[in-house]
Amino acid sequence: MQLKIDNMTFSYGEKETIKDISLHVNEGEFVGLIGPNGSGKSTLLKNICRALTPDAGMAVLDGENILSMNHKRLALKIGAVGQENEVPFDFTVEEIVAMGRTPHKKLFEIDNEYDKYMTNHALEHVGMAHMAKRSYRSLSGGEKQRVVIARVIAQESEFLILDEPTNHLDISYQMQVFDFVKRLQITVLSAIHDLNMAALYCDRIYVLKAGKIVLHGTPEEVLTPENILDIYGVHCDTIVHPITGKVSITFLPEGIYAQTKR
Ligand code: ADP
Ligand code: MG
């Protein structure tokens, strides 16, 4: 699965929110999207998975124009995990995950053995099989997020779009979510809030600022103290961590930064 976005633009009413965005995600890559709050990350991802319709531009997935696919075909190709994971009715965990199978089925077709197998397999993959019969609404935020990840696993799409999938999760769940996704070995485009997480998991990173892509490259290229100061206005120090081999960022509070300047 390869995604290519060309010159995508979108406005909410009069306000141009993403501007002339071009990016690509190669087969098997884990690509991160970072940038300050309000820079347009969610808007861009929604335009790619058709929750919004771009005003201009192209989105092509393995040679097929996403913008002209019907929703069922799109759901076979792209799994999406948004920031809000509330459901309108009280479903069980198992039912939520089984919904991932819908794009593979005809209207009103009941779940076959393979659907049941995939639902269970997905729940096991995220360590939630023991909660299959629980009410989804009764789960904690971290548990809900794991169920939603299980749903996209059951969906068996080859491309995954994630919008800050670990927001509000404690560190162990944050790591689990990214580890689960990594283990799937599929192609991923994910908005990521935490720069150290982005450094740990991304092959490449795009930086969005005020609706435009201002930088892109490997985490080492993008996550430098100069760039981070420019993008977020905060001082930091970076090292290549001896164990992970990845960039590790330490943010410097004003007082400490001032001391380093003496
Ligand atoms: P990010 O995900 O990077 O925090 P968003 O894509 O959510 O940024 O928002 C980008 C900009 O678009 C912000 O200025 C935000 O206020 C605005 N925006 C987001 N959603 C809507 C909406 N439904 N209607 C109007 N403006 C919106
Ligand atoms: Mg967002």
Side-chain angles (χ1 to χ4, degrees):
M1 274 287 118
Q2 197 197 27
L3 175 75
K4 197 163 182 302
I5 305 294
D6 282 315
N7 311 107
M8 189 176 268
T9 295
F10 175 84
S11 305
Y12 291 108
E14 294 290 287
K15 189 170 161 260
E16 199 166 70
T17 304
I18 56 165
K19 298 163 194 167
D20 204 26
I21 302 278
S22 297
L23 61 81
H24 65 275
V25 184
N26 294 321
E27 170 85 40
E29 259 191 324
F30 192 120
V31 171
L33 195 57
I34 64 169
N37 288 338
S39 58
K41 302 179 294 297
S42 297
T43 304
L44 173 60
L45 295 177
K46 284 177 188 164
N47 272 276
I48 298 173
C49 59
R50 296 268 304 279
L52 294 170
T53 305
D55 300 326
M58 283 284 283
V60 176
L61 195 64
D62 272 359
E64 210 175 333
N65 182 358
I66 295 179
L67 306 176
S68 59
M69 278 183 202
N70 66 34
H71 278 93
K72 185 166 173 175
R73 175 131 188 94
L74 190 70
L76 277 174
K77 297 280 180 184
I78 299 183
V81 176
Q83 278 176 305
E84 313 295 327
N85 295 311
E86 291 312 319
V87 294
F89 301 105
D90 198 16
F91 293 103
T92 66
V93 164
E94 196 171 53
E95 283 167 339
I96 296 277
V97 178
M99 284 172 198
R101 300 299 304 159
T102 311
H104 296 274
K105 309 178 74 62
K106 299 195 185 75
L107 195 60
F108 303 125
E109 184 185 336
I110 60 164
D111 289 351
N112 60 32
E113 284 309 310
Y114 184 69
D115 294 326
K116 287 175 191 159
Y117 163 78
M118 272 314 295
T119 301
N120 195 44
H121 164 78
L123 279 169
E124 274 173 8
H125 189 96
V126 301
M128 290 292 288
H130 62 293
M131 293 203 188
K133 305 290 179 196
R134 275 274 297 273
S135 145
Y136 176 79
R137 278 186 172 170
S138 73
L139 303 180
S140 72
E143 290 163 345
K144 279 184 182 155
Q145 198 66 349
R146 287 154 78 187
V147 172
V148 173
I149 298 281
R151 186 177 61 196
V152 293
I153 294 172
Q155 192 178 330
E156 292 187 292
S157 52
E158 295 152 78
F159 191 92
L160 209 52
I161 288 184
L162 308 171
D163 192 355
E164 298 187 0
T166 61
N167 253 11
H168 315 303
L169 302 187
D170 71 35
I171 187 64
S172 76
Y173 287 129
Q174 289 187 37
M175 305 273 307
Q176 274 183 26
V177 165
F178 285 125
D179 285 339
F180 291 145
V181 170
K182 209 68 179 181
R183 221 186 296 152
L184 294 173
Q185 295 187 310
I186 60 175
T187 315
V188 180
L189 176 62
S190 178
I192 301 181
H193 197 67
D194 186 308
L195 301 184
N196 279 307
M197 284 290 168
L200 282 176
Y201 288 96
C202 295
D203 299 311
R204 283 190 306 119
I205 292 174
Y206 286 90
V207 182
L208 216 55
K209 198 176 171 186
K212 287 189 178 149
I213 287 174
V214 291
L215 272 173
H216 65 96
T218 61
E220 293 72 26
E221 289 164 346
V222 169
L223 300 172
T224 64
E226 297 74 27
N227 288 341
I228 291 171
L229 180 62
D230 184 48
I231 302 161
Y232 296 96
V234 293
H235 294 284
C236 69
D237 184 51
T238 62
I239 56 161
V240 173
H241 193 276
I243 294 175
T244 63
K246 312 278 188 189
V247 179
S248 176
I249 305 158
T250 302
F251 296 100
L252 304 175
E254 216 176 333
I256 294 176
Y257 176 72
Q259 283 174 21
T260 69
K261 292 281 123 187
R262 275 201 205 119

